[in-house]
Amino acid sequence: MHSLRFDGTFTTWRQAARRALLQGLAPHQLQWLDEEAAPGLFDQPAERAPEPNGRLRVSPELLELLESAAQYRGDERWSLLYRVLWRFVQGERSAVLAGDPDGSELHRRLKAVRREAHHLHAFVRFQPSKAQGAPDFVAWFEPAHDILAAASGHFAERLGKHSWLIATPRDGVYWDGQRLQHERRCPAQWQAWAQQPEDDGQALWRAYYGSTFNPARLNRTVMQQHLPLRFWKHLPEGPLIPQLMSEARAGAQRDGQALVLAGRKGKRIAQINEGDAARPPSGSVSGSDAPDLPR
């Protein structure tokens, strides 16, 4: 078993994979160890072999797929990539197809990575920074996969010249208005800035969210599919959601508005079911119940 230790980035993995392919090392002969993995008891020390000569023909599309799948955190993170690459180079183009066992797992990981990037774009909440030397806006996020470096450019296109940072328990990104800096180990100062106390704007947002919440439209299953529970604790409105859902189950669904508004004076807005839309209103007559009118 050959143990290949590298720094955990796709760039260095790609270089190591190229050397292994040119040396003819099959997937079952390799063990991939990034810098965070502890060496095993029977691991052979990684030998820096001379750079082998030769050429490999790999399509840019495949490398792009492998680079995206490398963002997935899971078992056999790098082994699967090498297995797909090895089979592809050997002429097995089916290795990247969804009907193949390896290809199916590859596409499952790609889907998970894309979904996590969507979560980043949808659930990051920036707030103005108060600390001296900090960027204009800061945010804290806890992604399930290593999507921060690839997906955070989305915010650079939207926040313009404003500086901002997103810190996570592992890595962080900092936009100074012109350049995006990614740190694989998030500096402690960035994490402290991102976890600063809430400002007045967060309270204002919670007041708005609570007053516009419609309990009549609540569907807990669909809500948790689009807004997973693990993100609630980092959203300003997160602490309100369990209370609003509880009120909805306790009877607030009969109103088409939040309790704080339904309890005020004024006309009551009742929930209208789909079946009620086709039913004539109280006091009206239709069909055979209508009285005969003089001709």
Side-chain angles (χ1 to χ4, degrees):
M1 178 70 69
H2 295 263
S3 297
L4 299 182
R5 185 173 293 275
F6 63 111
D7 67 0
T9 66
F10 180 78
T11 299
T12 55
W13 174 87
R14 178 180 171 179
Q15 295 170 353
R18 180 181 180 277
R19 289 194 299 269
L21 285 171
L22 292 175
Q23 292 172 17
L25 296 176
H28 69 274
Q29 297 178 289
L30 296 177
Q31 182 180 23
W32 295 93
L33 300 174
D34 63 33
E35 60 185 5
E36 297 179 353
L41 180 61
F42 301 104
D43 288 346
Q44 297 179 5
E47 298 180 0
R48 184 67 179 184
E51 189 71 22
N53 297 323
R55 297 181 62 183
L56 293 173
R57 294 184 179 274
V58 180
S59 67
E61 292 79 11
L62 175 60
L63 291 177
E64 184 177 350
L65 287 179
L66 296 179
E67 186 173 10
S68 296
Q71 300 171 33
Y72 181 89
R73 297 177 193 164
D75 296 335
E76 294 191 343
R77 178 176 186 170
W78 305 103
S79 299
L80 174 69
L81 302 186
Y82 186 77
R83 191 159 61 244
V84 170
L85 181 60
W86 166 271
R87 292 180 56 194
F88 189 91
V89 171
Q90 298 299 317
E92 295 184 49
R93 299 300 191 259
S94 61
V96 298
L97 300 181
D100 181 88
D102 288 336
S104 176
E105 177 63 17
L106 179 70
H107 284 278
R108 186 189 71 81
R109 297 186 180 194
L110 288 169
K111 182 179 179 180
V113 166
R114 288 193 298 267
R115 183 166 180 79
E116 197 65 13
H118 166 73
H119 288 157
L120 174 73
H121 300 159
F123 303 135
V124 158
R125 295 292 187 268
F126 288 102
Q127 60 174 328
S129 179
K130 303 175 183 178
Q132 185 177 4
D136 298 334
F137 298 97
V138 295
W140 176 263
F141 192 69
E142 296 184 6
H145 303 293
D146 296 330
I147 49 84
L148 188 63
S152 55
H154 168 90
F155 301 105
E157 298 173 356
R158 286 158 175 77
L159 294 178
K161 296 299 183 180
H162 284 291
S163 59
W164 51 267
L165 74 83
I166 303 174
T168 80
R170 297 172 66 128
D171 57 348
V173 289
Y174 189 115
W175 172 260
D176 62 6
Q178 296 180 341
R179 185 177 65 91
L180 188 66
Q181 176 186 355
H182 175 251
E183 294 290 342
R184 295 187 60 219
R185 288 183 173 84
C186 188
Q189 181 64 77
W190 290 12
Q191 293 180 336
W193 284 340
Q195 295 179 300
Q196 68 180 14
E198 294 183 349
D199 64 355
D200 295 338
Q202 307 286 36
L204 181 61
W205 167 250
R206 281 194 293 269
Y208 172 79
Y209 185 89
S211 62
T212 57
F213 180 81
N214 188 345
R217 297 177 60 86
L218 175 65
N219 185 320
R220 182 185 181 96
T221 301
V222 173
M223 180 179 184
Q224 291 188 355
Q225 287 177 349
H226 293 279
L227 179 55
L229 186 64
R230 62 190 173 96
F231 295 116
W232 291 11
K233 61 181 179 179
H234 298 305
L235 295 175
E237 67 273 21
L240 294 180
I241 297 177
Q243 175 186 349
L244 294 172
M245 295 177 69
S246 177
E247 292 175 352
R249 290 194 300 268
Q253 285 186 328
R254 66 177 177 268
D255 299 312
Q257 53 195 341
L259 279 182
V260 65
L261 299 179
R264 295 186 177 183
K265 295 181 180 180
K267 184 177 180 180
R268 184 185 188 87
I269 303 177
Q271 177 186 2
I272 300 178
N273 298 320
E274 294 181 0
D276 296 337
R279 189 178 301 126
S282 177
S284 64
V285 292
S286 62
S288 59
D289 295 332
D292 294 333
L293 298 177
R295 297 180 180 176

